[in-house]
Amino acid sequence: MGIGELESVLARARSLCVLTGAGVSAESGIPTFRGADGLWRQFRAEDLATPEAFARNPLLVWEWYAWRREILHGAQPNLAHCALAELEASRAGSASAFTLITQNVDGLHERAGSRKVIRLHGSIWELRCTACGAERQDYSVPLNPFPPRCTCAQQRSLEGVAEKTLMRPGVVWFGERLPEQAWRDAAAAAAAADVMLVVGTSALVHPAASLPLLAKQRGAFLVEVNPEPTPLSGMADLVLTGKAGEVLDRAVSKRPVL
Ligand code: OAD
């Protein structure tokens, strides 16, 4: 069992669903959240990635995202991102379905050429108004040192509404709901999958971590690629213990699916 089996499982899959986490970007030099390099200063993601943390100390949270953006700015998609983009391309126009779901906010799947990505946790390259919810793209690096105000601020102060109008990162924080359509599409793809490939996630953060369980319950063949065991490992049909880039690059056939 190993790469060869993964290769043939992928080639046979009629409805392939892939879920990725921070580990898929690790070989691009992006720190994972729960790895040895996961702390920023003394803070864990759970201390900063919450609406309460932003309300309490917007500058601190903003600074953390500015730091993550700087790392991303110099990063390139790695072999794992490229292999997944190739997998999608090789299945385009065939009868086989392919869905890529990511918890990552870094945009590296898209930069590698993945065309359709379900982003469960939003994008670090978007900003959203904490008052009116207006969104806009923002690729600036370095990020403005202070969170800007939304254009709705002027109108709100004219109306005497004292609501906060700071722009925040367009990502999903702990305690927040996932984007509805993205979640619906992800759950439908997981439920319909005959093969579910889970790459580089600790599978600790729900509801994303429930997708492989859903797929498995519906009879999918569950594959995990991760250098470390996770709560999914015991129920996976195939576990490839290794780095995403190394494993996927070897396993992804460059031949189109007929
Ligand atoms: P984690 O940091 O929890 O887990 C990263 C996983 O990647 C671990 O299981 C590692 O063993 C694995 N890993 C490390 N290097 C790898 C490599 N080269 N190839 C493959 N796997 C590797 O990250 P996530 O599971 O993505 O949410 O975390 C889920 C969510 O929690 C994130 O989206 C984020 C975070 O806090 C929010 O911010 C809301």
Side-chain angles (χ1 to χ4, degrees), residues 20-24 26-27 32-35 45-46 49 65 103-104 121 172-174 199-205 225-228 230 242-245:
T20 66
V24 84
E27 287 152 88
T32 60
F33 294 99
R34 292 171 186 80
E46 288 85 344
Y65 281 98
Q103 298 165 84
N104 298 346
H121 292 169
V172 176
W173 282 333
F174 289 101
V199 186
T201 177
S202 58
L204 292 172
V205 176
V225 178
N226 199 312
E228 304 289 335
T230 77
K243 293 184 175 180

PDB file of all heavy atoms in Angstrom, residues 20-24 26-27 32-35 45-46 49 65 103-104 121 172-174 199-205 225-228 230 242-245, ligand 1:
ATOM      1  N   THR A  20      -8.281  20.291   1.973  1.00  0.00           N
ATOM      2  CA  THR A  20      -6.915  20.645   2.381  1.00  0.00           C
ATOM      3  C   THR A  20      -6.922  21.563   3.606  1.00  0.00           C
ATOM      4  O   THR A  20      -7.896  22.268   3.877  1.00  0.00           O
ATOM      5  CB  THR A  20      -6.130  21.348   1.248  1.00  0.00           C
ATOM      6  OG1 THR A  20      -6.731  22.621   0.963  1.00  0.00           O
ATOM      7  CG2 THR A  20      -6.090  20.519  -0.007  1.00  0.00           C
ATOM      8  N   GLY A  21      -5.799  21.514   4.326  1.00  0.00           N
ATOM      9  CA  GLY A  21      -5.587  22.401   5.468  1.00  0.00           C
ATOM     10  C   GLY A  21      -4.204  23.019   5.380  1.00  0.00           C
ATOM     11  O   GLY A  21      -3.506  22.875   4.357  1.00  0.00           O
ATOM     12  N   ALA A  22      -3.802  23.647   6.459  1.00  0.00           N
ATOM     13  CA  ALA A  22      -2.562  24.438   6.453  1.00  0.00           C
ATOM     14  C   ALA A  22      -1.342  23.636   6.012  1.00  0.00           C
ATOM     15  O   ALA A  22      -0.406  24.191   5.434  1.00  0.00           O
ATOM     16  CB  ALA A  22      -2.333  25.021   7.843  1.00  0.00           C
ATOM     17  N   GLY A  23      -1.351  22.308   6.252  1.00  0.00           N
ATOM     18  CA  GLY A  23      -0.202  21.479   5.893  1.00  0.00           C
ATOM     19  C   GLY A  23       0.095  21.466   4.400  1.00  0.00           C
ATOM     20  O   GLY A  23       1.242  21.231   3.994  1.00  0.00           O
ATOM     21  N   VAL A  24      -0.920  21.732   3.575  1.00  0.00           N
ATOM     22  CA  VAL A  24      -0.683  21.709   2.127  1.00  0.00           C
ATOM     23  C   VAL A  24       0.189  22.902   1.718  1.00  0.00           C
ATOM     24  O   VAL A  24       0.865  22.857   0.682  1.00  0.00           O
ATOM     25  CB  VAL A  24      -2.035  21.664   1.344  1.00  0.00           C
ATOM     26  CG1 VAL A  24      -2.626  23.039   1.161  1.00  0.00           C
ATOM     27  CG2 VAL A  24      -1.870  20.984   0.006  1.00  0.00           C
ATOM     28  N   ALA A  26       2.544  24.105   3.838  1.00  0.00           N
ATOM     29  CA  ALA A  26       3.752  24.110   4.682  1.00  0.00           C
ATOM     30  C   ALA A  26       5.027  24.112   3.839  1.00  0.00           C
ATOM     31  O   ALA A  26       6.001  24.808   4.165  1.00  0.00           O
ATOM     32  CB  ALA A  26       3.733  22.904   5.620  1.00  0.00           C
ATOM     33  N   GLU A  27       5.008  23.351   2.735  1.00  0.00           N
ATOM     34  CA  GLU A  27       6.212  23.289   1.896  1.00  0.00           C
ATOM     35  C   GLU A  27       6.430  24.581   1.086  1.00  0.00           C
ATOM     36  O   GLU A  27       7.441  24.726   0.404  1.00  0.00           O
ATOM     37  CB  GLU A  27       6.154  22.060   0.981  1.00  0.00           C
ATOM     38  CG  GLU A  27       6.400  20.768   1.754  1.00  0.00           C
ATOM     39  CD  GLU A  27       5.718  19.570   1.121  1.00  0.00           C
ATOM     40  OE1 GLU A  27       6.337  18.945   0.248  1.00  0.00           O
ATOM     41  OE2 GLU A  27       4.570  19.268   1.486  1.00  0.00           O
ATOM     42  N   THR A  32       2.113  26.368   9.810  1.00  0.00           N
ATOM     43  CA  THR A  32       0.778  25.830  10.108  1.00  0.00           C
ATOM     44  C   THR A  32       0.321  26.461  11.427  1.00  0.00           C
ATOM     45  O   THR A  32       1.077  27.182  12.072  1.00  0.00           O
ATOM     46  CB  THR A  32       0.825  24.295  10.241  1.00  0.00           C
ATOM     47  OG1 THR A  32       1.709  23.968  11.309  1.00  0.00           O
ATOM     48  CG2 THR A  32       1.291  23.637   8.956  1.00  0.00           C
ATOM     49  N   PHE A  33      -0.916  26.177  11.816  1.00  0.00           N
ATOM     50  CA  PHE A  33      -1.433  26.818  13.031  1.00  0.00           C
ATOM     51  C   PHE A  33      -1.002  26.069  14.295  1.00  0.00           C
ATOM     52  O   PHE A  33      -0.728  26.669  15.312  1.00  0.00           O
ATOM     53  CB  PHE A  33      -2.968  26.889  12.981  1.00  0.00           C
ATOM     54  CG  PHE A  33      -3.437  27.803  11.896  1.00  0.00           C
ATOM     55  CD1 PHE A  33      -3.857  27.309  10.672  1.00  0.00           C
ATOM     56  CD2 PHE A  33      -3.426  29.178  12.086  1.00  0.00           C
ATOM     57  CE1 PHE A  33      -4.265  28.154   9.664  1.00  0.00           C
ATOM     58  CE2 PHE A  33      -3.827  30.029  11.085  1.00  0.00           C
ATOM     59  CZ  PHE A  33      -4.246  29.520   9.864  1.00  0.00           C
ATOM     60  N   ARG A  34      -0.978  24.739  14.189  1.00  0.00           N
ATOM     61  CA  ARG A  34      -0.730  23.958  15.400  1.00  0.00           C
ATOM     62  C   ARG A  34       0.625  23.260  15.381  1.00  0.00           C
ATOM     63  O   ARG A  34       0.895  22.431  16.237  1.00  0.00           O
ATOM     64  CB  ARG A  34      -1.872  22.949  15.603  1.00  0.00           C
ATOM     65  CG  ARG A  34      -3.151  23.676  15.947  1.00  0.00           C
ATOM     66  CD  ARG A  34      -4.391  22.836  15.961  1.00  0.00           C
ATOM     67  NE  ARG A  34      -5.537  23.728  16.176  1.00  0.00           N
ATOM     68  CZ  ARG A  34      -6.107  24.468  15.225  1.00  0.00           C
ATOM     69  NH1 ARG A  34      -5.669  24.417  13.980  1.00  0.00           N
ATOM     70  NH2 ARG A  34      -7.118  25.268  15.520  1.00  0.00           N
ATOM     71  N   GLY A  35       1.465  23.612  14.441  1.00  0.00           N
ATOM     72  CA  GLY A  35       2.804  23.030  14.382  1.00  0.00           C
ATOM     73  C   GLY A  35       3.755  23.761  15.325  1.00  0.00           C
ATOM     74  O   GLY A  35       3.358  24.697  16.034  1.00  0.00           O
ATOM     75  N   ALA A  45      -3.540  30.691  17.373  1.00  0.00           N
ATOM     76  CA  ALA A  45      -4.583  31.159  16.452  1.00  0.00           C
ATOM     77  C   ALA A  45      -5.889  31.405  17.213  1.00  0.00           C
ATOM     78  O   ALA A  45      -6.592  32.394  16.966  1.00  0.00           O
ATOM     79  CB  ALA A  45      -4.805  30.130  15.349  1.00  0.00           C
ATOM     80  N   GLU A  46      -6.199  30.534  18.165  1.00  0.00           N
ATOM     81  CA  GLU A  46      -7.465  30.648  18.907  1.00  0.00           C
ATOM     82  C   GLU A  46      -7.533  31.935  19.730  1.00  0.00           C
ATOM     83  O   GLU A  46      -8.617  32.369  20.119  1.00  0.00           O
ATOM     84  CB  GLU A  46      -7.672  29.447  19.836  1.00  0.00           C
ATOM     85  CG  GLU A  46      -8.012  28.155  19.135  1.00  0.00           C
ATOM     86  CD  GLU A  46      -6.772  27.392  18.663  1.00  0.00           C
ATOM     87  OE1 GLU A  46      -5.674  27.992  18.605  1.00  0.00           O
ATOM     88  OE2 GLU A  46      -6.915  26.204  18.341  1.00  0.00           O
ATOM     89  N   ALA A  49      -7.843  34.701  16.294  1.00  0.00           N
ATOM     90  CA  ALA A  49      -8.813  34.545  15.202  1.00  0.00           C
ATOM     91  C   ALA A  49     -10.229  34.442  15.756  1.00  0.00           C
ATOM     92  O   ALA A  49     -10.943  33.468  15.537  1.00  0.00           O
ATOM     93  CB  ALA A  49      -8.466  33.312  14.368  1.00  0.00           C
ATOM     94  N   TYR A  65      -2.329  39.455  11.031  1.00  0.00           N
ATOM     95  CA  TYR A  65      -2.644  39.206   9.621  1.00  0.00           C
ATOM     96  C   TYR A  65      -1.632  39.902   8.705  1.00  0.00           C
ATOM     97  O   TYR A  65      -1.292  39.373   7.645  1.00  0.00           O
ATOM     98  CB  TYR A  65      -4.091  39.627   9.303  1.00  0.00           C
ATOM     99  CG  TYR A  65      -5.065  38.566   9.766  1.00  0.00           C
ATOM    100  CD1 TYR A  65      -5.740  38.667  10.965  1.00  0.00           C
ATOM    101  CD2 TYR A  65      -5.249  37.406   9.003  1.00  0.00           C
ATOM    102  CE1 TYR A  65      -6.593  37.667  11.408  1.00  0.00           C
ATOM    103  CE2 TYR A  65      -6.102  36.400   9.438  1.00  0.00           C
ATOM    104  CZ  TYR A  65      -6.771  36.535  10.638  1.00  0.00           C
ATOM    105  OH  TYR A  65      -7.598  35.530  11.065  1.00  0.00           O
ATOM    106  N   GLN A 103      -9.482  24.843   3.754  1.00  0.00           N
ATOM    107  CA  GLN A 103      -9.651  25.675   4.949  1.00  0.00           C
ATOM    108  C   GLN A 103      -8.672  26.842   4.883  1.00  0.00           C
ATOM    109  O   GLN A 103      -8.679  27.704   5.752  1.00  0.00           O
ATOM    110  CB  GLN A 103      -9.349  24.848   6.208  1.00  0.00           C
ATOM    111  CG  GLN A 103     -10.290  23.673   6.395  1.00  0.00           C
ATOM    112  CD  GLN A 103      -9.725  22.698   7.424  1.00  0.00           C
ATOM    113  OE1 GLN A 103      -9.902  22.868   8.617  1.00  0.00           O
ATOM    114  NE2 GLN A 103      -9.035  21.670   6.956  1.00  0.00           N
ATOM    115  N   ASN A 104      -7.803  26.830   3.889  1.00  0.00           N
ATOM    116  CA  ASN A 104      -6.746  27.849   3.831  1.00  0.00           C
ATOM    117  C   ASN A 104      -7.279  29.154   3.252  1.00  0.00           C
ATOM    118  O   ASN A 104      -8.142  29.150   2.378  1.00  0.00           O
ATOM    119  CB  ASN A 104      -5.570  27.339   2.997  1.00  0.00           C
ATOM    120  CG  ASN A 104      -4.945  26.110   3.625  1.00  0.00           C
ATOM    121  OD1 ASN A 104      -5.214  25.805   4.785  1.00  0.00           O
ATOM    122  ND2 ASN A 104      -4.128  25.395   2.879  1.00  0.00           N
ATOM    123  N   HIS A 121     -13.021  29.002   4.783  1.00  0.00           N
ATOM    124  CA  HIS A 121     -12.655  29.984   5.806  1.00  0.00           C
ATOM    125  C   HIS A 121     -12.352  31.368   5.224  1.00  0.00           C
ATOM    126  O   HIS A 121     -11.707  32.176   5.883  1.00  0.00           O
ATOM    127  CB  HIS A 121     -11.468  29.463   6.641  1.00  0.00           C
ATOM    128  CG  HIS A 121     -11.822  28.285   7.507  1.00  0.00           C
ATOM    129  ND1 HIS A 121     -10.891  27.512   8.162  1.00  0.00           N
ATOM    130  CD2 HIS A 121     -13.037  27.751   7.832  1.00  0.00           C
ATOM    131  CE1 HIS A 121     -11.518  26.551   8.857  1.00  0.00           C
ATOM    132  NE2 HIS A 121     -12.810  26.672   8.661  1.00  0.00           N
ATOM    133  N   VAL A 172     -13.003  33.560   8.149  1.00  0.00           N
ATOM    134  CA  VAL A 172     -13.943  33.066   9.158  1.00  0.00           C
ATOM    135  C   VAL A 172     -13.175  32.878  10.458  1.00  0.00           C
ATOM    136  O   VAL A 172     -12.124  32.238  10.476  1.00  0.00           O
ATOM    137  CB  VAL A 172     -14.563  31.729   8.717  1.00  0.00           C
ATOM    138  CG1 VAL A 172     -15.463  31.167   9.806  1.00  0.00           C
ATOM    139  CG2 VAL A 172     -15.345  31.912   7.415  1.00  0.00           C
ATOM    140  N   TRP A 173     -13.704  33.440  11.519  1.00  0.00           N
ATOM    141  CA  TRP A 173     -13.056  33.307  12.813  1.00  0.00           C
ATOM    142  C   TRP A 173     -13.778  32.268  13.661  1.00  0.00           C
ATOM    143  O   TRP A 173     -14.936  31.915  13.380  1.00  0.00           O
ATOM    144  CB  TRP A 173     -13.039  34.663  13.534  1.00  0.00           C
ATOM    145  CG  TRP A 173     -11.975  35.587  13.007  1.00  0.00           C
ATOM    146  CD1 TRP A 173     -10.809  35.231  12.416  1.00  0.00           C
ATOM    147  CD2 TRP A 173     -11.974  37.018  13.041  1.00  0.00           C
ATOM    148  NE1 TRP A 173     -10.076  36.349  12.083  1.00  0.00           N
ATOM    149  CE2 TRP A 173     -10.768  37.453  12.456  1.00  0.00           C
ATOM    150  CE3 TRP A 173     -12.862  37.982  13.510  1.00  0.00           C
ATOM    151  CZ2 TRP A 173     -10.427  38.793  12.327  1.00  0.00           C
ATOM    152  CZ3 TRP A 173     -12.534  39.317  13.386  1.00  0.00           C
ATOM    153  CH2 TRP A 173     -11.325  39.729  12.805  1.00  0.00           C
ATOM    154  N   PHE A 174     -13.099  31.817  14.708  1.00  0.00           N
ATOM    155  CA  PHE A 174     -13.709  30.853  15.625  1.00  0.00           C
ATOM    156  C   PHE A 174     -15.009  31.437  16.173  1.00  0.00           C
ATOM    157  O   PHE A 174     -15.056  32.613  16.552  1.00  0.00           O
ATOM    158  CB  PHE A 174     -12.753  30.503  16.769  1.00  0.00           C
ATOM    159  CG  PHE A 174     -11.597  29.672  16.316  1.00  0.00           C
ATOM    160  CD1 PHE A 174     -10.358  30.233  16.103  1.00  0.00           C
ATOM    161  CD2 PHE A 174     -11.768  28.314  16.044  1.00  0.00           C
ATOM    162  CE1 PHE A 174      -9.292  29.466  15.653  1.00  0.00           C
ATOM    163  CE2 PHE A 174     -10.708  27.544  15.593  1.00  0.00           C
ATOM    164  CZ  PHE A 174      -9.470  28.120  15.398  1.00  0.00           C
ATOM    165  N   VAL A 199      -5.831  16.276   2.950  1.00  0.00           N
ATOM    166  CA  VAL A 199      -4.406  16.597   2.882  1.00  0.00           C
ATOM    167  C   VAL A 199      -4.039  17.719   3.851  1.00  0.00           C
ATOM    168  O   VAL A 199      -4.600  18.814   3.785  1.00  0.00           O
ATOM    169  CB  VAL A 199      -4.035  17.064   1.442  1.00  0.00           C
ATOM    170  CG1 VAL A 199      -2.524  17.262   1.323  1.00  0.00           C
ATOM    171  CG2 VAL A 199      -4.532  16.095   0.392  1.00  0.00           C
ATOM    172  N   GLY A 200      -3.120  17.440   4.767  1.00  0.00           N
ATOM    173  CA  GLY A 200      -2.506  18.500   5.560  1.00  0.00           C
ATOM    174  C   GLY A 200      -3.438  19.233   6.506  1.00  0.00           C
ATOM    175  O   GLY A 200      -3.289  20.440   6.678  1.00  0.00           O
ATOM    176  N   THR A 201      -4.353  18.499   7.110  1.00  0.00           N
ATOM    177  CA  THR A 201      -5.160  19.143   8.154  1.00  0.00           C
ATOM    178  C   THR A 201      -5.113  18.312   9.420  1.00  0.00           C
ATOM    179  O   THR A 201      -5.106  17.076   9.358  1.00  0.00           O
ATOM    180  CB  THR A 201      -6.621  19.384   7.710  1.00  0.00           C
ATOM    181  OG1 THR A 201      -7.350  19.943   8.822  1.00  0.00           O
ATOM    182  CG2 THR A 201      -7.318  18.125   7.237  1.00  0.00           C
ATOM    183  N   SER A 202      -5.109  19.023  10.570  1.00  0.00           N
ATOM    184  CA  SER A 202      -5.118  18.316  11.855  1.00  0.00           C
ATOM    185  C   SER A 202      -6.502  17.729  12.127  1.00  0.00           C
ATOM    186  O   SER A 202      -6.664  16.961  13.065  1.00  0.00           O
ATOM    187  CB  SER A 202      -4.718  19.278  12.984  1.00  0.00           C
ATOM    188  OG  SER A 202      -5.611  20.376  13.003  1.00  0.00           O
ATOM    189  N   ALA A 203      -7.484  18.107  11.324  1.00  0.00           N
ATOM    190  CA  ALA A 203      -8.864  17.595  11.449  1.00  0.00           C
ATOM    191  C   ALA A 203      -9.423  17.841  12.849  1.00  0.00           C
ATOM    192  O   ALA A 203     -10.143  17.009  13.396  1.00  0.00           O
ATOM    193  CB  ALA A 203      -8.933  16.107  11.076  1.00  0.00           C
ATOM    194  N   LEU A 204      -9.073  18.982  13.401  1.00  0.00           N
ATOM    195  CA  LEU A 204      -9.544  19.321  14.751  1.00  0.00           C
ATOM    196  C   LEU A 204     -10.608  20.406  14.732  1.00  0.00           C
ATOM    197  O   LEU A 204     -11.325  20.586  15.709  1.00  0.00           O
ATOM    198  CB  LEU A 204      -8.357  19.813  15.609  1.00  0.00           C
ATOM    199  CG  LEU A 204      -7.301  18.766  15.960  1.00  0.00           C
ATOM    200  CD1 LEU A 204      -6.098  19.424  16.640  1.00  0.00           C
ATOM    201  CD2 LEU A 204      -7.906  17.689  16.862  1.00  0.00           C
ATOM    202  N   VAL A 205     -10.672  21.161  13.639  1.00  0.00           N
ATOM    203  CA  VAL A 205     -11.573  22.310  13.616  1.00  0.00           C
ATOM    204  C   VAL A 205     -12.831  21.967  12.826  1.00  0.00           C
ATOM    205  O   VAL A 205     -12.780  21.664  11.632  1.00  0.00           O
ATOM    206  CB  VAL A 205     -10.845  23.548  13.018  1.00  0.00           C
ATOM    207  CG1 VAL A 205     -11.797  24.728  12.905  1.00  0.00           C
ATOM    208  CG2 VAL A 205      -9.657  23.926  13.908  1.00  0.00           C
ATOM    209  N   VAL A 225      -3.329  12.233   3.724  1.00  0.00           N
ATOM    210  CA  VAL A 225      -1.909  12.506   3.477  1.00  0.00           C
ATOM    211  C   VAL A 225      -1.447  13.495   4.539  1.00  0.00           C
ATOM    212  O   VAL A 225      -1.925  14.635   4.594  1.00  0.00           O
ATOM    213  CB  VAL A 225      -1.686  13.115   2.070  1.00  0.00           C
ATOM    214  CG1 VAL A 225      -0.203  13.425   1.857  1.00  0.00           C
ATOM    215  CG2 VAL A 225      -2.216  12.186   0.985  1.00  0.00           C
ATOM    216  N   ASN A 226      -0.541  13.059   5.380  1.00  0.00           N
ATOM    217  CA  ASN A 226      -0.104  13.902   6.499  1.00  0.00           C
ATOM    218  C   ASN A 226       1.138  13.247   7.116  1.00  0.00           C
ATOM    219  O   ASN A 226       1.160  12.029   7.268  1.00  0.00           O
ATOM    220  CB  ASN A 226      -1.234  13.975   7.555  1.00  0.00           C
ATOM    221  CG  ASN A 226      -1.085  15.156   8.498  1.00  0.00           C
ATOM    222  OD1 ASN A 226      -0.013  15.393   9.041  1.00  0.00           O
ATOM    223  ND2 ASN A 226      -2.173  15.888   8.687  1.00  0.00           N
ATOM    224  N   PRO A 227       2.136  14.038   7.494  1.00  0.00           N
ATOM    225  CA  PRO A 227       3.303  13.406   8.139  1.00  0.00           C
ATOM    226  C   PRO A 227       3.002  12.933   9.558  1.00  0.00           C
ATOM    227  O   PRO A 227       3.762  12.146  10.122  1.00  0.00           O
ATOM    228  CB  PRO A 227       4.368  14.513   8.153  1.00  0.00           C
ATOM    229  CG  PRO A 227       3.685  15.780   7.808  1.00  0.00           C
ATOM    230  CD  PRO A 227       2.326  15.467   7.255  1.00  0.00           C
ATOM    231  N   GLU A 228       1.895  13.428  10.144  1.00  0.00           N
ATOM    232  CA  GLU A 228       1.548  13.080  11.528  1.00  0.00           C
ATOM    233  C   GLU A 228       0.175  12.424  11.565  1.00  0.00           C
ATOM    234  O   GLU A 228      -0.674  12.750  10.740  1.00  0.00           O
ATOM    235  CB  GLU A 228       1.461  14.362  12.390  1.00  0.00           C
ATOM    236  CG  GLU A 228       2.692  15.230  12.396  1.00  0.00           C
ATOM    237  CD  GLU A 228       3.843  14.595  13.152  1.00  0.00           C
ATOM    238  OE1 GLU A 228       3.569  13.762  14.033  1.00  0.00           O
ATOM    239  OE2 GLU A 228       4.998  14.917  12.831  1.00  0.00           O
ATOM    240  N   THR A 230      -3.656  11.889  12.800  1.00  0.00           N
ATOM    241  CA  THR A 230      -4.731  12.818  13.195  1.00  0.00           C
ATOM    242  C   THR A 230      -5.921  11.972  13.674  1.00  0.00           C
ATOM    243  O   THR A 230      -5.896  10.742  13.518  1.00  0.00           O
ATOM    244  CB  THR A 230      -5.199  13.674  11.991  1.00  0.00           C
ATOM    245  OG1 THR A 230      -6.035  12.852  11.162  1.00  0.00           O
ATOM    246  CG2 THR A 230      -4.057  14.232  11.176  1.00  0.00           C
ATOM    247  N   GLY A 242       3.463  11.325   5.076  1.00  0.00           N
ATOM    248  CA  GLY A 242       4.507  12.054   4.369  1.00  0.00           C
ATOM    249  C   GLY A 242       4.048  13.458   4.062  1.00  0.00           C
ATOM    250  O   GLY A 242       2.927  13.857   4.400  1.00  0.00           O
ATOM    251  N   LYS A 243       4.930  14.195   3.419  1.00  0.00           N
ATOM    252  CA  LYS A 243       4.628  15.592   3.088  1.00  0.00           C
ATOM    253  C   LYS A 243       3.753  15.650   1.836  1.00  0.00           C
ATOM    254  O   LYS A 243       3.977  14.887   0.882  1.00  0.00           O
ATOM    255  CB  LYS A 243       5.925  16.348   2.835  1.00  0.00           C
ATOM    256  CG  LYS A 243       6.763  16.476   4.087  1.00  0.00           C
ATOM    257  CD  LYS A 243       7.989  17.314   3.798  1.00  0.00           C
ATOM    258  CE  LYS A 243       8.775  17.540   5.079  1.00  0.00           C
ATOM    259  NZ  LYS A 243       9.969  18.348   4.850  1.00  0.00           N
ATOM    260  N   ALA A 244       2.828  16.597   1.861  1.00  0.00           N
ATOM    261  CA  ALA A 244       1.846  16.689   0.780  1.00  0.00           C
ATOM    262  C   ALA A 244       2.503  16.818  -0.597  1.00  0.00           C
ATOM    263  O   ALA A 244       2.112  16.124  -1.542  1.00  0.00           O
ATOM    264  CB  ALA A 244       0.936  17.889   1.031  1.00  0.00           C
ATOM    265  N   GLY A 245       3.496  17.687  -0.697  1.00  0.00           N
ATOM    266  CA  GLY A 245       4.124  17.928  -1.999  1.00  0.00           C
ATOM    267  C   GLY A 245       4.779  16.670  -2.541  1.00  0.00           C
ATOM    268  O   GLY A 245       4.627  16.313  -3.710  1.00  0.00           O
TER     269      GLY A 245
HETATM  270  P1  OAD B   1      -3.283  22.849  11.618  1.00  0.00           P
HETATM  271  O1  OAD B   1      -2.124  23.732  11.896  1.00  0.00           O
HETATM  272  O2  OAD B   1      -4.197  22.541  12.740  1.00  0.00           O
HETATM  273  O3  OAD B   1      -2.753  21.439  11.079  1.00  0.00           O
HETATM  274  C1  OAD B   1      -1.817  21.349  10.056  1.00  0.00           C
HETATM  275  C2  OAD B   1      -1.657  19.887   9.684  1.00  0.00           C
HETATM  276  O4  OAD B   1      -0.768  19.811   8.590  1.00  0.00           O
HETATM  277  C3  OAD B   1      -1.090  18.993  10.800  1.00  0.00           C
HETATM  278  O5  OAD B   1      -1.855  17.813  10.911  1.00  0.00           O
HETATM  279  C4  OAD B   1       0.332  18.681  10.309  1.00  0.00           C
HETATM  280  O6  OAD B   1       0.788  17.403  10.718  1.00  0.00           O
HETATM  281  C5  OAD B   1       0.138  18.752   8.810  1.00  0.00           C
HETATM  282  N1  OAD B   1       1.352  19.041   8.040  1.00  0.00           N
HETATM  283  C6  OAD B   1       2.446  19.740   8.392  1.00  0.00           C
HETATM  284  N2  OAD B   1       3.318  19.801   7.364  1.00  0.00           N
HETATM  285  C7  OAD B   1       2.766  19.121   6.336  1.00  0.00           C
HETATM  286  C8  OAD B   1       3.157  18.823   5.005  1.00  0.00           C
HETATM  287  N3  OAD B   1       4.323  19.236   4.496  1.00  0.00           N
HETATM  288  N4  OAD B   1       2.324  18.080   4.238  1.00  0.00           N
HETATM  289  C9  OAD B   1       1.138  17.646   4.722  1.00  0.00           C
HETATM  290  N5  OAD B   1       0.705  17.902   5.963  1.00  0.00           N
HETATM  291  C10 OAD B   1       1.503  18.626   6.762  1.00  0.00           C
HETATM  292  O7  OAD B   1      -4.048  23.451  10.364  1.00  0.00           O
HETATM  293  P2  OAD B   1      -5.537  23.184   9.870  1.00  0.00           P
HETATM  294  O8  OAD B   1      -5.929  21.781  10.092  1.00  0.00           O
HETATM  295  O9  OAD B   1      -5.642  23.730   8.505  1.00  0.00           O
HETATM  296  O10 OAD B   1      -8.955  28.331  11.082  1.00  0.00           O
HETATM  297  O11 OAD B   1      -6.337  24.107  10.853  1.00  0.00           O
HETATM  298  C11 OAD B   1      -7.708  24.259  10.661  1.00  0.00           C
HETATM  299  C12 OAD B   1      -8.124  25.665  10.990  1.00  0.00           C
HETATM  300  O12 OAD B   1      -7.668  26.023  12.287  1.00  0.00           O
HETATM  301  C13 OAD B   1      -7.512  26.712  10.095  1.00  0.00           C
HETATM  302  O13 OAD B   1      -8.211  26.903   8.904  1.00  0.00           O
HETATM  303  C14 OAD B   1      -7.584  27.926  10.950  1.00  0.00           C
HETATM  304  C15 OAD B   1      -7.013  27.303  12.188  1.00  0.00           C
HETATM  305  O14 OAD B   1      -7.079  27.976  13.338  1.00  0.00           O
HETATM  306  C16 OAD B   1      -9.278  29.574  11.412  1.00  0.00           C
HETATM  307  O15 OAD B   1      -8.452  30.454  11.516  1.00  0.00           O
HETATM  308  C17 OAD B   1     -10.738  29.774  11.606  1.00  0.00           C
END
